[in-house]
Amino acid sequence: METVSQLLESISDVGRDTARGGYSRPVYSTAELDLRGWFVEQAGRRGLEVETDRNGIIWAWWGAPQKGALVTGSHLDSVPGGGAFDGPLGVASALAAVDVLRQRGVQPNRSLAITVFPEEEGSRFGVACLGSRLLTGAIGPDKARNLRDADGNTFAEVSQGNGLDPEHFGRDEEALARIGDFVELHVEQGRGLGEEGPAIAVGSSILGHGRWKLTVSGQGNHAGTTLMQDRADPMVAAAQIIIAVQKSAAAQPDARATVGRLEPIPGGTNVIASRVQLWLDVRYPEDAVTGALVEAIHGKAQKIAAFEGCSVTLTEESYSGTVHFDAALQRQLENALPGAPVLATGAGHDAGVLAGYVPSGMIFVRNPTGISHSPEEHVEDDDADAGAGALADVLEGLL
């Protein structure tokens, strides 16, 4: 029986990013495909029956696929330069939990499945939790098919190149009916658990969050021949907009707003950009306040752009309202894990998307640094093993 740390060590060289540090494993990249192959192999070693559904979600079954099964799992893709645990910890812990249950001699009264969801981070096609959104119908298949990556490839083209039929994308009633309860284990993203005390927490809710694209348009020109007073430089406007985003969020208690990606076009060193695209992430517990904050940012951005002789447009790419996990399932998790604190999270997860359709819950494993989406993300080996044991306890109680 392999420990969680041993399972993660076996994939520790996959997708290493020598430029950014950490790991870059975008969906359907060589690295992510290698991890999907690793999962299929690990599931096969445990005698689990593996299938990939029409939305690209992998299912590994202990028992025959059936309605009302108990499902656990997470994702294997990453943000650019991400840590080793965000996603893979949940998948490795699910595999280890199956080992623990079998070692205990547990005979399930209903089928158990481990799932791997594609494009949870949205790092390639811009929409987070894309696999679970397709499964539930939270995103339309036409919109998903036409999403493009940085190289201009559509999600339909990339998926088709990896054995899927894009015409079959969309809400999957049969697959949804198979999920009686969904429990996702994930590395904690924050420091709610702290360095002392329990290593495990039960999730209560997920902060409402969304992604928007601001496109600032100006006049492309020559960096050496265009006088400063003659410029309509969208990069100058973009810089001021980023500061306005920070100030707007800081003025609203508990709000979080981030510009983590900026793309000048055409992107030459000696070229004044013709336009700049900024991707905005905004989060707040109340959806109405989130919307108002985004509108306030857009209004400030329009004024800034106009002052610089530019214009700006705002496009929503994805949005998930604040999620409260199923109360009855949460109580079952708390009963199975006495002493585990109950924590909310500001990070999105597939469990949050599924929560609108099936009873869903989450378990968090301590991250002593509190840092995530970064190479500094960390889980101690003992805490990882405790997480797998906790997941096994929860699954045993639900089986």
Side-chain angles (χ1 to χ4, degrees):
M1 187 173 80
E2 292 177 281
T3 65
V4 175
S5 57
Q6 288 171 331
L7 287 166
L8 293 176
E9 178 61 29
S10 70
I11 59 172
S12 61
D13 290 331
V14 180
R16 283 193 178 274
D17 191 322
T18 55
R20 300 182 181 95
Y23 296 89
S24 292
R25 297 161 167 169
V27 69
Y28 297 134
S29 64
T30 299
E32 199 257 1
L33 290 171
D34 285 348
L35 293 185
R36 289 166 73 90
W38 164 84
F39 173 72
V40 170
E41 179 189 6
Q42 289 292 333
R45 287 185 190 179
R46 289 161 174 79
L48 307 181
E49 294 294 326
V50 179
E51 61 178 351
T52 301
D53 70 18
R54 56 189 173 94
N55 290 309
I57 302 165
I58 304 176
W59 301 71
W61 288 93
W62 180 4
Q66 60 181 219
K67 290 183 178 180
L70 177 59
V71 182
T72 187
S74 194
H75 62 99
L76 292 169
D77 64 307
S78 80
V79 297
F85 300 92
D86 186 350
L89 179 68
V91 175
S93 296
L95 292 167
V98 167
D99 292 341
V100 172
L101 291 173
R102 285 184 166 154
Q103 189 179 53
R104 294 176 182 176
V106 172
Q107 297 297 320
N109 292 319
R110 60 170 168 163
S111 295
L112 171 68
I114 303 173
T115 51
V116 174
F117 290 94
E119 185 68 333
E120 193 272 351
E121 297 292 3
S123 62
R124 182 167 184 180
F125 291 98
V127 175
C129 302
L130 183 56
S132 53
R133 288 180 189 273
L134 280 168
L135 168 65
T136 58
I139 187 173
D142 285 339
K143 181 176 180 179
R145 280 189 282 263
N146 290 306
L147 294 171
R148 292 183 181 272
D149 64 13
D151 296 321
N153 304 303
T154 67
F155 184 61
E157 292 166 344
V158 173
S159 298
Q160 190 168 39
N162 285 281
L164 298 177
D165 184 348
E167 292 304 311
H168 293 160
F169 284 165
R171 183 178 169 95
D172 190 334
E173 297 287 355
E174 181 181 355
L176 266 178
R178 291 176 174 181
I179 307 175
D181 297 288
F182 181 76
V183 179
E184 181 174 2
L185 180 146
H186 204 278
V187 60
E188 185 192 9
Q189 294 168 296
R191 296 192 66 188
L193 283 165
E195 296 183 14
E196 303 294 334
I200 310 301
V202 173
S204 61
S205 61
I206 296 177
L207 211 59
H209 58 282
R211 296 181 183 186
W212 292 262
K213 181 170 71 174
L214 287 160
T215 301
V216 187
S217 299
Q219 176 61 63
N221 214 329
H222 194 292
T225 62
T226 311
L227 298 177
M228 301 305 289
Q229 64 268 27
D230 293 338
R231 299 185 178 201
D233 189 343
M235 186 68 88
V236 174
Q240 296 175 66
I241 290 169
I242 292 170
I243 295 171
V245 167
Q246 192 272 339
K247 290 183 176 179
S248 297
Q252 175 66 58
D254 294 328
R256 299 102 193 257
T258 306
V259 175
R261 179 181 166 200
L262 181 147
E263 183 178 305
I265 298 166
T269 304
N270 59 344
V271 178
I272 300 168
S274 58
R275 70 181 186 276
V276 178
Q277 295 177 327
L278 304 87
W279 279 264
L280 173 68
D281 181 301
V282 179
R283 307 181 186 225
Y284 190 79
E286 297 176 24
D287 299 340
V289 176
T290 304
L293 179 56
V294 171
E295 281 305 311
I297 290 170
H298 186 206
K300 291 180 180 180
Q302 289 176 312
K303 291 179 180 178
I304 291 167
F307 184 81
E308 296 296 337
C310 301
S311 62
V312 63
T313 60
L314 176 74
T315 306
E316 180 181 304
E317 294 200 331
S318 65
Y319 186 75
S320 298
T322 294
V323 170
H324 297 278
F325 290 120
D326 184 83
L329 181 57
Q330 183 180 322
R331 283 194 298 270
Q332 289 176 289
L333 267 61
E334 291 178 53
N335 290 337
L337 304 173
V342 177
L343 298 177
T345 180
H349 302 282
D350 290 306
V353 174
L354 293 174
Y357 306 87
V358 299
S360 300
M362 291 196 72
I363 299 169
F364 298 119
V365 179
R366 174 167 46 214
N367 173 3
T369 66
I371 297 171
S372 189
H373 282 187
S374 166
E376 286 90 347
E377 176 183 271
H378 184 67
V379 175
E380 296 289 346
D381 291 352
D382 288 346
D383 289 349
D385 292 337
L391 180 60
D393 292 341
V394 167
L395 298 177
E396 183 174 1
L398 294 170
L399 285 171

